[in-house]
Amino acid sequence: MRQVAVNMVETLARQDDRVVFIGSDLGPGLLKNMKADMPDRFFMEGVAEQHIIGMAAGMAMEGYIPYINTIATFLTRRCFDQIAIDVCLENLPVRLIASGGGLVYAPLGPTHLAFEDMGLLRTLPNMAIAAPVDAPEMERLMRASLDWKGPLYIRLAKGGDPVVSRAEAGFAIGKAIAMRQGGDVTLIGTGIMTGRALAAAEQLETQGISASVLHMHTVKPLDDAAVLEAAAGTGLIVTVEEHTRIGGLGSAVAELLAETDGAPRLLRLALPDAFPEGYGSQDNLLSLAGLTVDGITGAVTKALEGRK
Amino acid sequence: MDDRSKYLRRLVIDALEGGGRGHIGSSMSLVEILRVLYDDVLDVRPDDPRWPDRDRCILSKGHGCLTWYAVLADKGFFPKEELLRQCRAGAMLGGHPERAHIPGVEASTGSLGHGLSIGTGMAIAARMQKRPSRVFVITGDGELDEGSVWEAAMHAGKHRLENLVALVDYNKLQSYGPVKEVLDLEPLADKWRAFGWGVKEVDGHDVDALRAQLSTLPFEAGKPSVLICHTVKGKGFDFAEHQATWHHKARVEAPDVARMREALERA
């Protein structure tokens, strides 16, 4: 997924000379063809993330579309003020491609775990936040990003994620994708968790529970209409995300439903409000939080039983 | 102090009176720097503020904006009457400059340590687009405590941004007290030199000296330029000069205004 995102910057740069790439201090050889063919639009500027955001803002004010790539936590936590003032206040077309979204960097520990990135950025006016489910969808997002008017945060998953998206479903930033229809429960996922939600829906089917699955690749702006339509059709909504339960997809949906008359019950499956503990793999940490296919299935079953 | 410097200070006093608040000390140290930039150096068009080939000016020490507002209004970027409403409900001008609302303002500043990075992005863009534009970024001395300034300084040096000029308003006083005590910047010129900049120093209230230095840009071929302007916080109001208590006043009342007007006549 990361490779697709980064390669797409080069593709976009070849078709539109407003596109520039800015990296902090990334792996050797990254985008070497872009660097060779478009040296004036390739910047690798060192471990100076705050500066890079301001620099990108300055370039965007002069008509460029900067695509920045570095590690998610450094982009979000460290540069929050620059993102707020330099980029969002001016509503500039700066794209933040965040490596290691969620728990991808599990072996590296909490300094590198972007478990609150969406919550942070969701509070900023003008910021759009997207988390594709797989590499083909990342490509569609990147194509759509070129003409997106304001700032955009792009959360990268680990790479090698199972492909569950379908090209024929189309793609538009801010528009959810209905991936499965069912009448008992609606699972809403973002990022790679949509894949797990789909698998959980299959498992629920074997238990006689019919589940809709809505893929919310864009957490902000939230596709309110899609959520409300799902709310009208099923009695239970379950959000599934690789993010702290505060501020992410579940919060966004909760905020919407809280202001909706007769809204169905909402269950938020997310990481606890705690710094993720332990190392191992992304899957290990997700399992600890119950964010597995079995965990989702079990939580949904329990919630439905509670209603009977 | 000559008539023009006094006149611009009077506009700032008008704004302080109208808004009832503002950063006084840090606005007064800037008057001659901004005056020389707009009178003698910057290629800008008040009637076409976003003319692509213009020089860009960023007041990274956004709290000094009362003087910037006075100069921009004097140059005709917007009506002088706006000065009298600064910080009031419905005003165009706030306590820190906002790009979206104020003609001539190139970046929204006030959160310190942002301006030089934005300026480097603009300078790179101008070079890529082969525009003659130069970018001037005015920083405070207290602002240089921010690490992001030095990230930008290193970066501008790396890219040999001849079209980028930083001006340090070195009034030696930050909010809490003397810069030397809060966080000493010395040797300041050497720091910039070490980051790849051409460096000059000047009395930041000496209009002729400022003009002379800024007529020699870039200071060194293939390098960004920094002019370290030695200034006096509160310059022009003898009772406020070198006084940290005059950095910012949340309430400026009639007696303060009268004192400032009287002091200015003595200056």
Side-chain angles (χ1 to χ4, degrees):
Chain A
M1 188 183 282
R2 173 166 184 256
Q3 208 52 50
V4 168
V6 171
N7 290 345
M8 277 302 295
V9 177
E10 180 177 337
T11 303
L12 296 173
R14 289 189 193 281
Q15 75 185 59
D16 190 321
D17 58 16
R18 296 173 301 166
V19 172
V20 297
F21 176 82
I22 307 175
S24 58
D25 181 32
L26 308 174
L30 184 93
L31 284 179
K32 61 177 189 296
N33 293 333
M34 180 176 180
K35 186 182 179 185
D37 296 349
M38 298 169 270
D40 59 331
R41 289 195 279 147
F42 175 91
F43 297 89
M44 191 64 72
E45 300 306 333
V47 193
E49 292 89 0
Q50 297 172 80
H51 164 67
I52 287 169
I53 302 290
M55 170 197 174
M59 298 186 80
M61 287 175 197
E62 304 299 342
Y64 290 99
I65 304 175
Y67 284 77
I68 297 174
N69 178 216
T70 190
I71 292 175
T73 54
F74 306 146
L75 269 177
T76 54
R77 294 178 198 150
R78 182 181 305 242
C79 299
F80 189 73
D81 194 39
Q82 278 81 5
I83 293 173
I85 303 301
D86 303 352
V87 176
C88 289
L89 176 60
E90 307 298 339
N91 200 16
L92 295 170
V94 173
R95 286 79 177 88
L96 308 172
I97 304 174
S99 298
L103 304 175
V104 168
Y105 290 133
L108 305 183
T111 57
H112 283 57
L113 297 180
F115 61 98
E116 78 305 47
D117 53 341
M118 293 181 166
L120 279 170
L121 297 190
R122 211 164 63 78
T123 59
L124 295 178
N126 296 324
M127 178 59 82
I129 300 168
V133 64
D134 56 30
E137 188 175 80
M138 175 59 78
E139 183 176 331
R140 293 193 276 278
L141 167 66
M142 290 297 288
R143 287 192 193 285
S145 72
L146 189 63
D147 296 319
W148 185 254
K149 297 293 178 209
L152 175 62
Y153 178 77
I154 300 168
R155 192 200 234 209
L156 294 179
K158 187 168 150 206
D161 310 286
V163 174
V164 297
S165 71
R166 291 173 300 111
E168 57 273 25
F171 189 92
I173 294 171
K175 186 107 185 69
I177 296 174
M179 302 190 83
R180 197 175 190 285
Q181 298 297 333
D184 296 323
V185 57
T186 300
L187 302 172
I188 307 178
T190 189
I192 61 159
M193 297 313 290
T194 296
R196 295 188 179 206
L198 275 171
E202 300 290 334
Q203 207 162 294
L204 288 165
E205 192 75 50
T206 66
Q207 300 173 21
I209 297 169
S210 123
S212 289
V213 175
L214 195 58
H215 177 39
M216 199 65 72
H217 49 70
T218 307
V219 171
K220 187 184 176 186
L222 190 74
D223 188 344
D224 292 357
V227 175
L228 293 177
E229 192 182 328
T234 55
L236 174 66
I237 289 186
V238 180
T239 56
V240 193
E241 63 189 314
E242 187 184 357
H243 188 278
T244 159
R245 59 189 281 106
I246 297 176
L249 172 67
S251 292
V253 171
E255 288 158 17
L256 175 66
L257 295 181
E259 295 179 347
T260 302
D261 288 338
R265 186 179 163 209
L266 170 67
L267 179 65
R268 291 178 294 151
L269 301 182
L271 303 172
D273 174 27
F275 284 94
E277 283 200 45
Y279 303 101
S281 68
Q282 179 188 22
D283 278 344
N284 292 142
L285 295 194
L286 286 171
S287 299
L288 287 176
L291 294 173
T292 58
V293 175
D294 286 344
I296 297 166
T297 306
V300 170
T301 310
K302 197 170 154 204
L304 286 172
E305 275 168 6
R307 293 172 64 85
K308 282 174 190 165
Chain B
M1 188 178 291
D2 68 9
D3 287 348
R4 178 137 181 82
S5 281
K6 284 190 179 179
Y7 171 71
L8 292 170
R9 282 183 170 81
R10 272 188 217 110
L11 290 183
V12 174
I13 298 172
D14 291 347
L16 283 164
E17 186 177 29
R21 63 179 302 141
H23 285 86
I24 298 171
S26 28
S27 295
M28 288 302 107
S29 58
L30 265 180
V31 176
E32 282 71 30
I33 296 170
L34 279 167
R35 166 190 163 177
V36 168
L37 280 177
Y38 279 85
D39 285 353
D40 304 295
V41 180
L42 294 175
D43 193 5
V44 291
R45 295 179 179 174
D47 56 348
D48 187 9
R50 292 278 161 94
W51 167 53
D53 283 352
R54 72 193 183 279
D55 289 332
R56 271 66 166 167
C57 182
I58 296 173
L59 183 64
S60 193
K61 52 165 282 185
H63 56 289
C65 61
L66 284 178
T67 300
W68 201 17
Y69 297 163
V71 172
L72 289 172
D74 180 63
K75 288 289 168 187
F77 281 90
F78 51 80
K80 288 202 185 77
E81 294 74 60
E82 292 290 347
L83 296 173
L84 308 181
R85 304 194 297 144
Q86 62 98 12
C87 285
R88 300 285 186 193
M92 179 176 81
L93 306 172
H96 291 91
E98 282 195 68
R99 176 176 181 260
H101 308 315
I102 311 171
V105 165
E106 301 282 4
S108 301
T109 51
S111 182
L112 297 177
H114 290 217
L116 198 58
S117 292
I118 297 171
T120 61
M122 289 178 172
I124 289 171
R127 185 159 75 185
M128 288 166 72
Q129 294 166 355
K130 300 189 169 45
R131 282 186 282 108
S133 306
R134 299 170 298 172
V135 183
F136 295 79
V137 180
I138 303 162
T139 75
D141 46 12
E143 180 176 17
L144 300 187
D145 299 351
E146 294 280 5
S148 54
V149 174
W150 301 101
E151 292 182 6
M154 222 182 332
H155 181 262
K158 165 188 165 176
H159 285 282
R160 308 174 69 83
L161 294 174
E162 263 190 7
N163 57 349
L164 179 68
V165 185
L167 299 107
V168 180
D169 179 6
Y170 196 8
N171 59 35
K172 322 290 189 299
L173 207 53
Q174 54 196 106
S175 193
Y176 179 77
V179 167
K180 213 164 192 44
E181 291 172 19
V182 178
L183 185 52
D184 193 6
L185 296 170
E186 290 300 333
L188 184 56
D190 289 346
K191 287 192 171 80
W192 287 98
R193 248 178 234 118
F195 280 70
W197 290 60
V199 187
K200 290 191 179 182
E201 302 195 50
V202 71
D203 173 345
H205 298 298
D206 183 334
V207 174
D208 292 332
L210 280 163
R211 270 191 210 118
Q213 297 289 23
L214 290 171
S215 69
T216 63
L217 294 169
F219 295 154
E220 289 182 45
K223 291 183 179 182
S225 307
V226 58
L227 185 59
I228 298 174
C229 305
H230 295 278
T231 58
V232 172
K233 198 148 182 163
K235 177 74 175 180
F237 308 148
D238 47 17
F239 53 86
E241 290 182 359
H242 308 291
Q243 301 299 317
T245 50
W246 282 84
H247 172 76
H248 178 253
K249 291 282 183 200
R251 278 183 76 177
V252 174
E253 293 175 343
D256 302 313
V257 171
R259 270 177 93 191
M260 285 189 272
R261 291 218 165 96
E262 286 162 22
L264 193 54
E265 297 319 307
R266 293 193 294 272

